[in-house]
Amino acid sequence: MDRFIDATNRPPSKPIRVFGVVAPVLMIVQAVGSRRLEDILTAIFFVVVLLPPAIAPTAYRSRLAALDKHLVPSTILMFIVLLCSLFVLLTEFLSRSVSLYVAVTAALVLTAVGAVLHSKRLRSAE
């Protein structure tokens, strides 16, 4: 196990796992009904973030540990998750175009900082 992954972390409890399955399904139903871009992105975010640890928590943890050892795929995933979540949050307060500009800029900066720190961590672990 990687030294940055908490080995004492137990799988989530039954109610949390049930929420991890029910919430994405409800978000998908809402996205299909409304067909708004924000609802579709929220549903995708819920599916990506909540569903895998609810269905297979031990396999999900091992996949994350394996992904942590590869800089490019983990950076791409981080950018996509940041971009979608920031865009959805900002559209509640700003217009879509302004939200997109701010979300892309913030996601690029945060992803670049994260990638630099991640590469330093990978080099120091070798």
Side-chain angles (χ1 to χ4, degrees), residues 4-56:
F4 297 105
I5 305 293
D6 185 12
T8 61
N9 193 5
R10 293 182 308 241
S13 64
K14 290 282 185 192
I16 292 174
R17 288 181 71 183
V18 168
F19 175 77
V21 172
V22 172
V25 170
L26 292 176
M27 296 310 288
I28 290 171
V29 169
Q30 179 185 359
V32 168
S34 72
R35 294 189 177 145
R36 287 181 43 221
L37 176 63
E38 292 84 359
D39 293 334
I40 294 169
L41 289 175
T42 303
I44 291 170
F45 181 78
F46 270 60
V47 167
V48 169
V49 172
L50 293 179
L51 201 55
I55 293 174

mmCIF file of all heavy atoms in Angstrom, residues 4-56:
data_model
loop_
_atom_site.group_PDB
_atom_site.id
_atom_site.type_symbol
_atom_site.label_atom_id
_atom_site.label_comp_id
_atom_site.label_asym_id
_atom_site.label_seq_id
_atom_site.Cartn_x
_atom_site.Cartn_y
_atom_site.Cartn_z
ATOM 1 N N PHE A 4 1.033 7.170 1.205
ATOM 2 C CA PHE A 4 0.131 8.308 1.276
ATOM 3 C C PHE A 4 -1.331 7.880 1.368
ATOM 4 O O PHE A 4 -2.203 8.714 1.544
ATOM 5 C CB PHE A 4 0.317 9.216 0.060
ATOM 6 C CG PHE A 4 1.690 9.801 -0.001
ATOM 7 C CD1 PHE A 4 2.613 9.329 -0.907
ATOM 8 C CD2 PHE A 4 2.076 10.795 0.882
ATOM 9 C CE1 PHE A 4 3.886 9.846 -0.954
ATOM 10 C CE2 PHE A 4 3.345 11.317 0.846
ATOM 11 C CZ PHE A 4 4.252 10.848 -0.074
ATOM 12 N N ILE A 5 -1.601 6.605 1.233
ATOM 13 C CA ILE A 5 -2.958 6.093 1.349
ATOM 14 C C ILE A 5 -3.142 5.566 2.767
ATOM 15 O O ILE A 5 -2.333 4.799 3.260
ATOM 16 C CB ILE A 5 -3.223 4.966 0.332
ATOM 17 C CG1 ILE A 5 -2.926 5.428 -1.096
ATOM 18 C CG2 ILE A 5 -4.631 4.438 0.453
ATOM 19 C CD1 ILE A 5 -3.850 6.478 -1.610
ATOM 20 N N ASP A 6 -4.205 5.969 3.405
ATOM 21 C CA ASP A 6 -4.458 5.554 4.786
ATOM 22 C C ASP A 6 -4.885 4.094 4.812
ATOM 23 O O ASP A 6 -5.952 3.733 4.327
ATOM 24 C CB ASP A 6 -5.545 6.436 5.388
ATOM 25 C CG ASP A 6 -5.781 6.165 6.855
ATOM 26 O OD1 ASP A 6 -4.952 5.457 7.466
ATOM 27 O OD2 ASP A 6 -6.776 6.675 7.382
ATOM 28 N N ALA A 7 -4.052 3.233 5.371
ATOM 29 C CA ALA A 7 -4.319 1.797 5.389
ATOM 30 C C ALA A 7 -5.365 1.424 6.429
ATOM 31 O O ALA A 7 -5.958 0.354 6.348
ATOM 32 C CB ALA A 7 -3.035 1.025 5.650
ATOM 33 N N THR A 8 -5.622 2.279 7.400
ATOM 34 C CA THR A 8 -6.587 1.960 8.440
ATOM 35 C C THR A 8 -8.008 2.363 8.055
ATOM 36 O O THR A 8 -8.931 2.141 8.820
ATOM 37 C CB THR A 8 -6.209 2.664 9.750
ATOM 38 O OG1 THR A 8 -6.236 4.076 9.530
ATOM 39 C CG2 THR A 8 -4.842 2.226 10.226
ATOM 40 N N ASN A 9 -8.182 2.939 6.904
ATOM 41 C CA ASN A 9 -9.486 3.392 6.459
ATOM 42 C C ASN A 9 -10.388 2.192 6.180
ATOM 43 O O ASN A 9 -10.079 1.357 5.354
ATOM 44 C CB ASN A 9 -9.326 4.258 5.211
ATOM 45 C CG ASN A 9 -10.586 5.013 4.890
ATOM 46 O OD1 ASN A 9 -11.554 4.973 5.624
ATOM 47 N ND2 ASN A 9 -10.559 5.703 3.776
ATOM 48 N N ARG A 10 -11.511 2.130 6.877
ATOM 49 C CA ARG A 10 -12.462 1.032 6.691
ATOM 50 C C ARG A 10 -13.438 1.375 5.578
ATOM 51 O O ARG A 10 -13.657 2.545 5.276
ATOM 52 C CB ARG A 10 -13.218 0.797 7.982
ATOM 53 C CG ARG A 10 -12.359 0.269 9.095
ATOM 54 C CD ARG A 10 -13.214 0.026 10.307
ATOM 55 N NE ARG A 10 -13.981 1.241 10.601
ATOM 56 C CZ ARG A 10 -13.887 1.931 11.722
ATOM 57 N NH1 ARG A 10 -13.080 1.535 12.659
ATOM 58 N NH2 ARG A 10 -14.587 3.015 11.915
ATOM 59 N N PRO A 11 -14.060 0.359 4.981
ATOM 60 C CA PRO A 11 -15.097 0.632 3.976
ATOM 61 C C PRO A 11 -16.247 1.415 4.598
ATOM 62 O O PRO A 11 -16.481 1.342 5.810
ATOM 63 C CB PRO A 11 -15.558 -0.757 3.542
ATOM 64 C CG PRO A 11 -14.488 -1.685 3.953
ATOM 65 C CD PRO A 11 -13.796 -1.068 5.119
ATOM 66 N N PRO A 12 -16.982 2.168 3.788
ATOM 67 C CA PRO A 12 -18.088 2.957 4.329
ATOM 68 C C PRO A 12 -19.189 2.056 4.903
ATOM 69 O O PRO A 12 -19.353 0.907 4.496
ATOM 70 C CB PRO A 12 -18.592 3.751 3.130
ATOM 71 C CG PRO A 12 -17.989 3.135 1.940
ATOM 72 C CD PRO A 12 -16.799 2.366 2.371
ATOM 73 N N SER A 13 -19.963 2.608 5.832
ATOM 74 C CA SER A 13 -21.043 1.850 6.460
ATOM 75 C C SER A 13 -22.194 1.649 5.472
ATOM 76 O O SER A 13 -22.241 2.276 4.409
ATOM 77 C CB SER A 13 -21.531 2.570 7.705
ATOM 78 O OG SER A 13 -22.090 3.815 7.335
ATOM 79 N N LYS A 14 -23.128 0.792 5.836
ATOM 80 C CA LYS A 14 -24.268 0.474 4.957
ATOM 81 C C LYS A 14 -25.091 1.712 4.588
ATOM 82 O O LYS A 14 -25.410 1.897 3.415
ATOM 83 C CB LYS A 14 -25.168 -0.580 5.609
ATOM 84 C CG LYS A 14 -24.554 -1.939 5.672
ATOM 85 C CD LYS A 14 -24.633 -2.601 4.336
ATOM 86 C CE LYS A 14 -24.107 -4.029 4.496
ATOM 87 N NZ LYS A 14 -23.875 -4.666 3.243
ATOM 88 N N PRO A 15 -25.453 2.593 5.534
ATOM 89 C CA PRO A 15 -26.237 3.770 5.123
ATOM 90 C C PRO A 15 -25.487 4.678 4.146
ATOM 91 O O PRO A 15 -26.092 5.216 3.218
ATOM 92 C CB PRO A 15 -26.512 4.501 6.436
ATOM 93 C CG PRO A 15 -26.354 3.485 7.501
ATOM 94 C CD PRO A 15 -25.356 2.504 6.998
ATOM 95 N N ILE A 16 -24.195 4.810 4.325
ATOM 96 C CA ILE A 16 -23.414 5.644 3.404
ATOM 97 C C ILE A 16 -23.343 4.980 2.035
ATOM 98 O O ILE A 16 -23.435 5.646 0.999
ATOM 99 C CB ILE A 16 -22.015 5.919 3.986
ATOM 100 C CG1 ILE A 16 -22.145 6.815 5.218
ATOM 101 C CG2 ILE A 16 -21.105 6.559 2.953
ATOM 102 C CD1 ILE A 16 -20.863 7.039 5.962
ATOM 103 N N ARG A 17 -23.212 3.662 2.005
ATOM 104 C CA ARG A 17 -23.189 2.955 0.722
ATOM 105 C C ARG A 17 -24.544 3.043 0.024
ATOM 106 O O ARG A 17 -24.595 3.207 -1.194
ATOM 107 C CB ARG A 17 -22.772 1.509 0.932
ATOM 108 C CG ARG A 17 -21.299 1.387 1.272
ATOM 109 C CD ARG A 17 -20.880 -0.028 1.459
ATOM 110 N NE ARG A 17 -20.866 -0.703 0.156
ATOM 111 C CZ ARG A 17 -20.586 -1.985 0.002
ATOM 112 N NH1 ARG A 17 -20.302 -2.734 1.047
ATOM 113 N NH2 ARG A 17 -20.583 -2.508 -1.184
ATOM 114 N N VAL A 18 -25.628 2.963 0.790
ATOM 115 C CA VAL A 18 -26.966 3.099 0.194
ATOM 116 C C VAL A 18 -27.129 4.507 -0.380
ATOM 117 O O VAL A 18 -27.637 4.678 -1.502
ATOM 118 C CB VAL A 18 -28.059 2.779 1.237
ATOM 119 C CG1 VAL A 18 -29.432 3.184 0.740
ATOM 120 C CG2 VAL A 18 -28.032 1.303 1.597
ATOM 121 N N PHE A 19 -26.696 5.525 0.375
ATOM 122 C CA PHE A 19 -26.748 6.896 -0.140
ATOM 123 C C PHE A 19 -25.905 7.027 -1.411
ATOM 124 O O PHE A 19 -26.310 7.715 -2.350
ATOM 125 C CB PHE A 19 -26.252 7.880 0.926
ATOM 126 C CG PHE A 19 -26.174 9.288 0.431
ATOM 127 C CD1 PHE A 19 -27.306 10.059 0.296
ATOM 128 C CD2 PHE A 19 -24.948 9.849 0.076
ATOM 129 C CE1 PHE A 19 -27.248 11.361 -0.177
ATOM 130 C CE2 PHE A 19 -24.865 11.140 -0.391
ATOM 131 C CZ PHE A 19 -26.021 11.908 -0.516
ATOM 132 N N GLY A 20 -24.746 6.356 -1.444
ATOM 133 C CA GLY A 20 -23.871 6.407 -2.614
ATOM 134 C C GLY A 20 -24.475 5.780 -3.849
ATOM 135 O O GLY A 20 -24.037 6.049 -4.966
ATOM 136 N N VAL A 21 -25.477 4.945 -3.676
ATOM 137 C CA VAL A 21 -26.172 4.351 -4.825
ATOM 138 C C VAL A 21 -27.435 5.140 -5.161
ATOM 139 O O VAL A 21 -27.722 5.395 -6.332
ATOM 140 C CB VAL A 21 -26.520 2.869 -4.547
ATOM 141 C CG1 VAL A 21 -27.402 2.299 -5.626
ATOM 142 C CG2 VAL A 21 -25.249 2.045 -4.410
ATOM 143 N N VAL A 22 -28.178 5.552 -4.138
ATOM 144 C CA VAL A 22 -29.459 6.221 -4.365
ATOM 145 C C VAL A 22 -29.268 7.642 -4.914
ATOM 146 O O VAL A 22 -29.980 8.053 -5.835
ATOM 147 C CB VAL A 22 -30.289 6.238 -3.059
ATOM 148 C CG1 VAL A 22 -31.535 7.089 -3.200
ATOM 149 C CG2 VAL A 22 -30.662 4.816 -2.675
ATOM 150 N N ALA A 23 -28.323 8.402 -4.371
ATOM 151 C CA ALA A 23 -28.126 9.797 -4.797
ATOM 152 C C ALA A 23 -27.783 9.910 -6.284
ATOM 153 O O ALA A 23 -28.390 10.737 -6.983
ATOM 154 C CB ALA A 23 -27.067 10.470 -3.939
ATOM 155 N N PRO A 24 -26.843 9.102 -6.825
ATOM 156 C CA PRO A 24 -26.596 9.211 -8.264
ATOM 157 C C PRO A 24 -27.809 8.837 -9.117
ATOM 158 O O PRO A 24 -28.061 9.469 -10.146
ATOM 159 C CB PRO A 24 -25.440 8.240 -8.513
ATOM 160 C CG PRO A 24 -24.763 8.130 -7.214
ATOM 161 C CD PRO A 24 -25.832 8.265 -6.185
ATOM 162 N N VAL A 25 -28.575 7.845 -8.667
ATOM 163 C CA VAL A 25 -29.771 7.466 -9.425
ATOM 164 C C VAL A 25 -30.772 8.615 -9.441
ATOM 165 O O VAL A 25 -31.357 8.940 -10.493
ATOM 166 C CB VAL A 25 -30.401 6.178 -8.848
ATOM 167 C CG1 VAL A 25 -31.753 5.904 -9.454
ATOM 168 C CG2 VAL A 25 -29.469 4.994 -9.050
ATOM 169 N N LEU A 26 -30.979 9.262 -8.297
ATOM 170 C CA LEU A 26 -31.889 10.410 -8.248
ATOM 171 C C LEU A 26 -31.392 11.572 -9.107
ATOM 172 O O LEU A 26 -32.189 12.246 -9.768
ATOM 173 C CB LEU A 26 -32.069 10.866 -6.802
ATOM 174 C CG LEU A 26 -32.817 9.904 -5.879
ATOM 175 C CD1 LEU A 26 -32.830 10.446 -4.460
ATOM 176 C CD2 LEU A 26 -34.215 9.654 -6.382
ATOM 177 N N MET A 27 -30.090 11.796 -9.116
ATOM 178 C CA MET A 27 -29.538 12.874 -9.944
ATOM 179 C C MET A 27 -29.683 12.560 -11.431
ATOM 180 O O MET A 27 -29.918 13.464 -12.237
ATOM 181 C CB MET A 27 -28.072 13.118 -9.588
ATOM 182 C CG MET A 27 -27.855 13.614 -8.165
ATOM 183 S SD MET A 27 -28.877 15.011 -7.689
ATOM 184 C CE MET A 27 -28.145 16.306 -8.630
ATOM 185 N N ILE A 28 -29.553 11.287 -11.796
ATOM 186 C CA ILE A 28 -29.748 10.895 -13.194
ATOM 187 C C ILE A 28 -31.195 11.119 -13.604
ATOM 188 O O ILE A 28 -31.474 11.644 -14.694
ATOM 189 C CB ILE A 28 -29.318 9.429 -13.406
ATOM 190 C CG1 ILE A 28 -27.811 9.307 -13.302
ATOM 191 C CG2 ILE A 28 -29.803 8.913 -14.761
ATOM 192 C CD1 ILE A 28 -27.302 7.877 -13.272
ATOM 193 N N VAL A 29 -32.131 10.756 -12.737
ATOM 194 C CA VAL A 29 -33.552 10.974 -13.032
ATOM 195 C C VAL A 29 -33.836 12.455 -13.189
ATOM 196 O O VAL A 29 -34.553 12.875 -14.105
ATOM 197 C CB VAL A 29 -34.427 10.342 -11.922
ATOM 198 C CG1 VAL A 29 -35.875 10.766 -12.051
ATOM 199 C CG2 VAL A 29 -34.298 8.829 -11.952
ATOM 200 N N GLN A 30 -33.261 13.280 -12.322
ATOM 201 C CA GLN A 30 -33.450 14.725 -12.427
ATOM 202 C C GLN A 30 -32.841 15.268 -13.722
ATOM 203 O O GLN A 30 -33.430 16.115 -14.378
ATOM 204 C CB GLN A 30 -32.835 15.441 -11.229
ATOM 205 C CG GLN A 30 -32.983 16.944 -11.299
ATOM 206 C CD GLN A 30 -32.277 17.657 -10.169
ATOM 207 O OE1 GLN A 30 -31.680 17.024 -9.309
ATOM 208 N NE2 GLN A 30 -32.329 18.972 -10.176
ATOM 209 N N ALA A 31 -31.656 14.771 -14.089
ATOM 210 C CA ALA A 31 -30.999 15.246 -15.312
ATOM 211 C C ALA A 31 -31.790 14.865 -16.549
ATOM 212 O O ALA A 31 -31.886 15.654 -17.500
ATOM 213 C CB ALA A 31 -29.582 14.677 -15.392
ATOM 214 N N VAL A 32 -32.360 13.672 -16.549
ATOM 215 C CA VAL A 32 -33.164 13.249 -17.699
ATOM 216 C C VAL A 32 -34.421 14.098 -17.800
ATOM 217 O O VAL A 32 -34.838 14.483 -18.900
ATOM 218 C CB VAL A 32 -33.511 11.741 -17.585
ATOM 219 C CG1 VAL A 32 -34.568 11.339 -18.589
ATOM 220 C CG2 VAL A 32 -32.259 10.903 -17.764
ATOM 221 N N GLY A 33 -34.999 14.434 -16.653
ATOM 222 C CA GLY A 33 -36.218 15.239 -16.665
ATOM 223 C C GLY A 33 -35.990 16.682 -17.065
ATOM 224 O O GLY A 33 -36.777 17.261 -17.801
ATOM 225 N N SER A 34 -34.907 17.289 -16.619
ATOM 226 C CA SER A 34 -34.691 18.715 -16.888
ATOM 227 C C SER A 34 -33.895 18.975 -18.159
ATOM 228 O O SER A 34 -34.091 19.989 -18.808
ATOM 229 C CB SER A 34 -33.986 19.376 -15.712
ATOM 230 O OG SER A 34 -32.643 18.968 -15.662
ATOM 231 N N ARG A 35 -32.962 18.104 -18.464
ATOM 232 C CA ARG A 35 -32.082 18.233 -19.635
ATOM 233 C C ARG A 35 -31.260 19.528 -19.633
ATOM 234 O O ARG A 35 -30.875 20.034 -20.679
ATOM 235 C CB ARG A 35 -32.868 18.111 -20.934
ATOM 236 C CG ARG A 35 -33.447 16.761 -21.142
ATOM 237 C CD ARG A 35 -34.024 16.605 -22.512
ATOM 238 N NE ARG A 35 -34.511 15.254 -22.696
ATOM 239 C CZ ARG A 35 -35.552 14.938 -23.391
ATOM 240 N NH1 ARG A 35 -36.231 15.874 -24.001
ATOM 241 N NH2 ARG A 35 -35.919 13.695 -23.502
ATOM 242 N N ARG A 36 -30.997 20.077 -18.441
ATOM 243 C CA ARG A 36 -30.103 21.231 -18.324
ATOM 244 C C ARG A 36 -28.669 20.729 -18.226
ATOM 245 O O ARG A 36 -28.397 19.681 -17.631
ATOM 246 C CB ARG A 36 -30.430 22.035 -17.058
ATOM 247 C CG ARG A 36 -31.694 22.829 -17.136
ATOM 248 C CD ARG A 36 -31.960 23.638 -15.867
ATOM 249 N NE ARG A 36 -30.748 24.277 -15.380
ATOM 250 C CZ ARG A 36 -30.429 24.333 -14.087
ATOM 251 N NH1 ARG A 36 -31.197 23.770 -13.170
ATOM 252 N NH2 ARG A 36 -29.326 24.943 -13.699
ATOM 253 N N LEU A 37 -27.736 21.472 -18.765
ATOM 254 C CA LEU A 37 -26.326 21.092 -18.734
ATOM 255 C C LEU A 37 -25.839 20.948 -17.295
ATOM 256 O O LEU A 37 -25.108 20.007 -16.979
ATOM 257 C CB LEU A 37 -25.479 22.125 -19.482
ATOM 258 C CG LEU A 37 -23.978 21.911 -19.466
ATOM 259 C CD1 LEU A 37 -23.626 20.601 -20.169
ATOM 260 C CD2 LEU A 37 -23.262 23.071 -20.103
ATOM 261 N N GLU A 38 -26.252 21.844 -16.423
ATOM 262 C CA GLU A 38 -25.811 21.802 -15.032
ATOM 263 C C GLU A 38 -26.278 20.520 -14.340
ATOM 264 O O GLU A 38 -25.530 19.903 -13.584
ATOM 265 C CB GLU A 38 -26.324 23.020 -14.265
ATOM 266 C CG GLU A 38 -25.715 24.324 -14.704
ATOM 267 C CD GLU A 38 -26.414 24.942 -15.912
ATOM 268 O OE1 GLU A 38 -27.376 24.342 -16.437
ATOM 269 O OE2 GLU A 38 -25.987 26.020 -16.342
ATOM 270 N N ASP A 39 -27.513 20.105 -14.619
ATOM 271 C CA ASP A 39 -28.029 18.880 -14.010
ATOM 272 C C ASP A 39 -27.334 17.636 -14.559
ATOM 273 O O ASP A 39 -27.083 16.679 -13.818
ATOM 274 C CB ASP A 39 -29.540 18.772 -14.222
ATOM 275 C CG ASP A 39 -30.303 19.838 -13.458
ATOM 276 O OD1 ASP A 39 -29.784 20.316 -12.430
ATOM 277 O OD2 ASP A 39 -31.414 20.194 -13.887
ATOM 278 N N ILE A 40 -27.013 17.652 -15.831
ATOM 279 C CA ILE A 40 -26.300 16.517 -16.434
ATOM 280 C C ILE A 40 -24.898 16.397 -15.840
ATOM 281 O O ILE A 40 -24.453 15.308 -15.487
ATOM 282 C CB ILE A 40 -26.257 16.660 -17.972
ATOM 283 C CG1 ILE A 40 -27.668 16.544 -18.548
ATOM 284 C CG2 ILE A 40 -25.332 15.629 -18.593
ATOM 285 C CD1 ILE A 40 -27.782 16.931 -19.999
ATOM 286 N N LEU A 41 -24.201 17.527 -15.713
ATOM 287 C CA LEU A 41 -22.861 17.502 -15.116
ATOM 288 C C LEU A 41 -22.906 17.096 -13.643
ATOM 289 O O LEU A 41 -22.021 16.372 -13.168
ATOM 290 C CB LEU A 41 -22.184 18.863 -15.266
ATOM 291 C CG LEU A 41 -21.748 19.237 -16.674
ATOM 292 C CD1 LEU A 41 -21.208 20.660 -16.697
ATOM 293 C CD2 LEU A 41 -20.735 18.266 -17.206
ATOM 294 N N THR A 42 -23.929 17.532 -12.922
ATOM 295 C CA THR A 42 -24.073 17.127 -11.526
ATOM 296 C C THR A 42 -24.306 15.627 -11.424
ATOM 297 O O THR A 42 -23.724 14.958 -10.564
ATOM 298 C CB THR A 42 -25.237 17.892 -10.863
ATOM 299 O OG1 THR A 42 -24.991 19.287 -10.994
ATOM 300 C CG2 THR A 42 -25.368 17.533 -9.400
ATOM 301 N N ALA A 43 -25.120 15.089 -12.301
ATOM 302 C CA ALA A 43 -25.372 13.645 -12.297
ATOM 303 C C ALA A 43 -24.103 12.870 -12.611
ATOM 304 O O ALA A 43 -23.793 11.861 -11.950
ATOM 305 C CB ALA A 43 -26.470 13.303 -13.313
ATOM 306 N N ILE A 44 -23.338 13.340 -13.581
ATOM 307 C CA ILE A 44 -22.070 12.678 -13.916
ATOM 308 C C ILE A 44 -21.110 12.746 -12.731
ATOM 309 O O ILE A 44 -20.448 11.762 -12.390
ATOM 310 C CB ILE A 44 -21.441 13.314 -15.173
ATOM 311 C CG1 ILE A 44 -22.291 12.986 -16.402
ATOM 312 C CG2 ILE A 44 -20.012 12.839 -15.382
ATOM 313 C CD1 ILE A 44 -21.910 13.760 -17.643
ATOM 314 N N PHE A 45 -21.042 13.895 -12.085
ATOM 315 C CA PHE A 45 -20.175 14.057 -10.928
ATOM 316 C C PHE A 45 -20.568 13.084 -9.811
ATOM 317 O O PHE A 45 -19.718 12.432 -9.216
ATOM 318 C CB PHE A 45 -20.238 15.509 -10.432
ATOM 319 C CG PHE A 45 -19.356 15.792 -9.262
ATOM 320 C CD1 PHE A 45 -17.999 15.967 -9.438
ATOM 321 C CD2 PHE A 45 -19.878 15.877 -7.984
ATOM 322 C CE1 PHE A 45 -17.168 16.232 -8.361
ATOM 323 C CE2 PHE A 45 -19.065 16.143 -6.900
ATOM 324 C CZ PHE A 45 -17.703 16.314 -7.096
ATOM 325 N N PHE A 46 -21.863 12.990 -9.526
ATOM 326 C CA PHE A 46 -22.326 12.073 -8.489
ATOM 327 C C PHE A 46 -22.015 10.628 -8.841
ATOM 328 O O PHE A 46 -21.635 9.840 -7.978
ATOM 329 C CB PHE A 46 -23.826 12.250 -8.252
ATOM 330 C CG PHE A 46 -24.155 13.264 -7.203
ATOM 331 C CD1 PHE A 46 -23.762 14.583 -7.339
ATOM 332 C CD2 PHE A 46 -24.868 12.920 -6.082
ATOM 333 C CE1 PHE A 46 -24.062 15.526 -6.383
ATOM 334 C CE2 PHE A 46 -25.179 13.846 -5.104
ATOM 335 C CZ PHE A 46 -24.774 15.154 -5.257
ATOM 336 N N VAL A 47 -22.183 10.272 -10.121
ATOM 337 C CA VAL A 47 -21.894 8.899 -10.543
ATOM 338 C C VAL A 47 -20.406 8.599 -10.383
ATOM 339 O O VAL A 47 -20.027 7.540 -9.880
ATOM 340 C CB VAL A 47 -22.366 8.662 -11.994
ATOM 341 C CG1 VAL A 47 -21.802 7.381 -12.551
ATOM 342 C CG2 VAL A 47 -23.882 8.639 -12.053
ATOM 343 N N VAL A 48 -19.558 9.524 -10.781
ATOM 344 C CA VAL A 48 -18.109 9.287 -10.711
ATOM 345 C C VAL A 48 -17.600 9.282 -9.276
ATOM 346 O O VAL A 48 -16.747 8.467 -8.914
ATOM 347 C CB VAL A 48 -17.356 10.353 -11.551
ATOM 348 C CG1 VAL A 48 -15.871 10.320 -11.291
ATOM 349 C CG2 VAL A 48 -17.632 10.148 -13.028
ATOM 350 N N VAL A 49 -18.125 10.163 -8.437
ATOM 351 C CA VAL A 49 -17.594 10.312 -7.082
ATOM 352 C C VAL A 49 -18.252 9.361 -6.074
ATOM 353 O O VAL A 49 -17.564 8.790 -5.231
ATOM 354 C CB VAL A 49 -17.732 11.781 -6.619
ATOM 355 C CG1 VAL A 49 -17.386 11.940 -5.165
ATOM 356 C CG2 VAL A 49 -16.853 12.666 -7.469
ATOM 357 N N LEU A 50 -19.552 9.160 -6.159
ATOM 358 C CA LEU A 50 -20.249 8.394 -5.132
ATOM 359 C C LEU A 50 -20.492 6.923 -5.477
ATOM 360 O O LEU A 50 -20.492 6.076 -4.586
ATOM 361 C CB LEU A 50 -21.598 9.038 -4.809
ATOM 362 C CG LEU A 50 -21.563 10.391 -4.130
ATOM 363 C CD1 LEU A 50 -22.972 10.899 -3.891
ATOM 364 C CD2 LEU A 50 -20.818 10.308 -2.820
ATOM 365 N N LEU A 51 -20.728 6.621 -6.735
ATOM 366 C CA LEU A 51 -21.141 5.261 -7.084
ATOM 367 C C LEU A 51 -20.046 4.210 -6.939
ATOM 368 O O LEU A 51 -20.286 3.163 -6.337
ATOM 369 C CB LEU A 51 -21.730 5.247 -8.496
ATOM 370 C CG LEU A 51 -22.635 4.094 -8.856
ATOM 371 C CD1 LEU A 51 -23.779 3.983 -7.867
ATOM 372 C CD2 LEU A 51 -23.175 4.262 -10.253
ATOM 373 N N PRO A 52 -18.818 4.431 -7.428
ATOM 374 C CA PRO A 52 -17.801 3.375 -7.294
ATOM 375 C C PRO A 52 -17.475 2.974 -5.856
ATOM 376 O O PRO A 52 -17.436 1.779 -5.565
ATOM 377 C CB PRO A 52 -16.579 3.954 -8.005
ATOM 378 C CG PRO A 52 -17.123 4.945 -8.954
ATOM 379 C CD PRO A 52 -18.336 5.510 -8.290
ATOM 380 N N PRO A 53 -17.273 3.924 -4.925
ATOM 381 C CA PRO A 53 -16.998 3.466 -3.559
ATOM 382 C C PRO A 53 -18.208 2.821 -2.888
ATOM 383 O O PRO A 53 -18.057 2.050 -1.949
ATOM 384 C CB PRO A 53 -16.569 4.721 -2.811
ATOM 385 C CG PRO A 53 -17.030 5.850 -3.615
ATOM 386 C CD PRO A 53 -17.122 5.376 -5.024
ATOM 387 N N ALA A 54 -19.411 3.108 -3.367
ATOM 388 C CA ALA A 54 -20.594 2.477 -2.787
ATOM 389 C C ALA A 54 -20.762 1.052 -3.289
ATOM 390 O O ALA A 54 -21.195 0.178 -2.548
ATOM 391 C CB ALA A 54 -21.843 3.288 -3.122
ATOM 392 N N ILE A 55 -20.393 0.798 -4.530
ATOM 393 C CA ILE A 55 -20.574 -0.536 -5.103
ATOM 394 C C ILE A 55 -19.428 -1.464 -4.715
ATOM 395 O O ILE A 55 -19.659 -2.597 -4.298
ATOM 396 C CB ILE A 55 -20.708 -0.438 -6.635
ATOM 397 C CG1 ILE A 55 -22.008 0.270 -6.989
ATOM 398 C CG2 ILE A 55 -20.668 -1.812 -7.268
ATOM 399 C CD1 ILE A 55 -22.180 0.543 -8.453
ATOM 400 N N ALA A 56 -18.201 -1.004 -4.879
ATOM 401 C CA ALA A 56 -17.033 -1.844 -4.582
ATOM 402 C C ALA A 56 -15.978 -1.028 -3.852
ATOM 403 O O ALA A 56 -15.007 -0.561 -4.454
ATOM 404 C CB ALA A 56 -16.469 -2.401 -5.876
#
